[in-house]
Amino acid sequence: MNERTRLILASASPRRRDLLSLFDLAFDVEPAHIDESVRAGEAAEAYVRRVAREKALAIHARCEGRFVLGSDTAVVLGDESLGKPGDDEQARQMLRRLSDREHHVLSSVALVDPDGAVSERLSVTRVEFAELPAAWIDRYIASGEPHDKAGAYGIQGAAGIWVRSLTGSYTGVVGLPLFETGELLGEAGLVER
């Protein structure tokens, strides 16, 4: 692959970078600094699809002629998207709400090709937590782990202890669904499928 067509990951997430590296594919990382606010009345699926696409398109606008991969993840409880907590108290409230309940994690991936065409995939995973003890929630928040994560938890860290069941994509919950990403990369000719 020549430098002009080399892939760019439009993300600041070290978790997404690590997961994408599993494809043994050369790529650059260029965080997309966009407004990730949920729009009034926007459903969770529409939100994650839009944000993943906007991240990829924002970087593509600066780096034309390159493939750009964007991704976004939302934790959904009922009809409500739980974003990244703004502070410790928001994290505490989110974790209490997720305790002993089922929620869904939506993870969207968007690939913009060098000509600007966009392809997308969506991963939906059902996650059920056991009851989260209050003392554990306090320790978890003190660790700093919930601060930059949708729903105030990272399944790949200490919160994984409390996952009673998971149906769907584990890597989608981490932030980059590998199967769906592989489909996009394979269709684009960036990896063999």
Side-chain angles (χ1 to χ4, degrees):
M1 175 181 304
N2 66 42
E3 195 61 32
R4 183 168 159 74
T5 59
R6 184 173 163 144
L7 179 68
I8 300 173
L9 174 62
S11 178
S13 166
R15 296 167 299 281
R16 287 190 179 117
R17 183 186 62 239
D18 291 347
L19 287 169
L20 186 59
S21 69
L22 296 174
F23 287 100
D24 196 26
L25 169 72
F27 64 92
D28 297 315
V29 175
E30 182 84 22
H33 303 290
I34 65 165
D35 180 4
E36 296 186 33
S37 302
V38 178
R39 295 177 180 162
E42 188 173 36
E45 181 177 331
Y47 167 76
V48 294
R49 286 182 184 274
R50 176 181 60 81
V51 173
R53 185 174 50 253
E54 287 181 0
K55 287 176 181 179
L57 288 170
I59 299 304
H60 187 267
R62 298 197 307 255
C63 304
E64 286 188 33
R66 304 276 298 272
F67 283 97
V68 182
L69 186 72
S71 184
D72 195 61
T73 301
V75 172
V76 182
L77 183 62
D79 292 331
E80 183 184 354
S81 290
L82 303 181
K84 297 174 183 175
D87 57 29
D88 287 353
E89 188 51 37
Q90 277 188 342
R92 184 172 286 104
Q93 289 172 8
M94 287 181 190
L95 291 167
R96 284 180 182 155
R97 291 180 65 201
L98 293 171
S99 178
D100 203 26
R101 293 187 65 188
E102 178 181 298
H103 62 278
H104 291 87
V105 178
L106 281 58
S107 194
S108 181
V109 186
L111 181 67
V112 181
D113 76 14
D115 296 326
V118 181
S119 300
E120 301 177 0
R121 293 289 188 282
L122 178 71
S123 166
V124 179
T125 303
R126 185 189 61 77
V127 180
E128 182 184 359
F129 275 159
E131 185 173 346
L132 304 176
W136 179 85
I137 290 174
D138 290 341
R139 283 193 309 276
Y140 188 62
I141 291 169
S143 76
E145 192 172 314
H147 294 156
D148 67 338
K149 295 174 181 69
Y153 78 90
I155 196 169
Q156 71 281 5
I161 296 167
W162 300 102
V163 175
R164 181 180 287 139
S165 68
L166 181 145
T167 305
S169 172
Y170 171 81
T171 57
V173 179
V174 176
L176 186 71
L178 289 179
F179 181 79
E180 290 79 1
T181 300
E183 285 185 322
L184 291 176
L185 297 175
E187 289 170 7
L190 296 171
V191 298
E192 289 186 25
R193 284 295 281 181

